[in-house]
Amino acid sequence: MGKFVIKQNDLGYTFSLKAPNGEIIATGGEVFNSLQACKNSINSVITNAPAAGVDDTTAIRYYEVKCPKFEIYRDKKGEYRFRLKASNGEPILASEGYTAKSGCKAGIDSVRKNVVDAEITDAE
């Protein structure tokens, strides 16, 4: 079971999704002004991630998938990343960079698996 960890800093609240081994799988897409807004975004991840399709913008034949979706893309350094977009198209979760697309896809699978019954905690 994964865990959402909420942190507060001078700018507001952020969150990350951690695997059972403590590794960060992905982070929230923004800094929130209130704790409730941060929790609302976490709930949106929990709702959208399990059923989200995958939109691989790096594929040779690219067909756009409707939201909610995980979007695979390449960053400026050429690494593979994913972001989860809610049904309204807003990005709500983002990954680290992966050198291989297979690692990026495994990250998506990890999000889907770890949001189920994930607990929400304050910073450790």
Side-chain angles (χ1 to χ4, degrees):
M1 172 172 53
K3 181 187 320 185
F4 286 97
V5 178
I6 297 172
K7 292 185 179 179
Q8 182 180 11
N9 60 35
D10 293 341
L11 301 174
Y13 298 87
T14 61
F15 71 88
S16 57
L17 173 62
K18 290 189 174 187
N21 66 2
E23 291 291 318
I24 295 176
I25 303 167
T27 57
E30 63 182 279
V31 177
F32 300 93
N33 292 329
S34 72
L35 180 59
Q36 188 57 51
C38 186
K39 287 182 177 181
N40 290 347
S41 187
I42 289 170
N43 287 325
S44 183
V45 170
I46 292 168
T47 299
N48 287 285
V54 176
D55 198 350
D56 184 355
T57 65
T58 68
I60 293 170
R61 292 189 177 180
Y62 163 63
Y63 301 98
E64 190 167 347
V65 176
K66 285 183 168 184
C67 291
K69 66 183 176 182
F70 286 96
E71 186 176 71
I72 297 174
Y73 65 99
R74 291 187 92 161
D75 65 15
K76 291 179 182 177
K77 294 190 324 189
E79 293 183 319
Y80 293 92
R81 292 179 178 266
F82 68 82
R83 60 183 149 234
L84 174 61
K85 291 187 171 185
S87 22
N88 64 2
E90 290 294 316
I92 54 176
L93 195 70
S95 75
E96 64 181 7
Y98 296 90
T99 55
K101 190 189 293 191
S102 60
C104 188
K105 288 180 175 180
I108 291 170
D109 290 341
S110 184
V111 169
R112 285 188 173 133
K113 176 179 150 190
N114 284 289
V115 298
V116 177
D117 299 324
E119 64 177 296
I120 300 172
T121 65
D122 291 335
E124 301 173 327

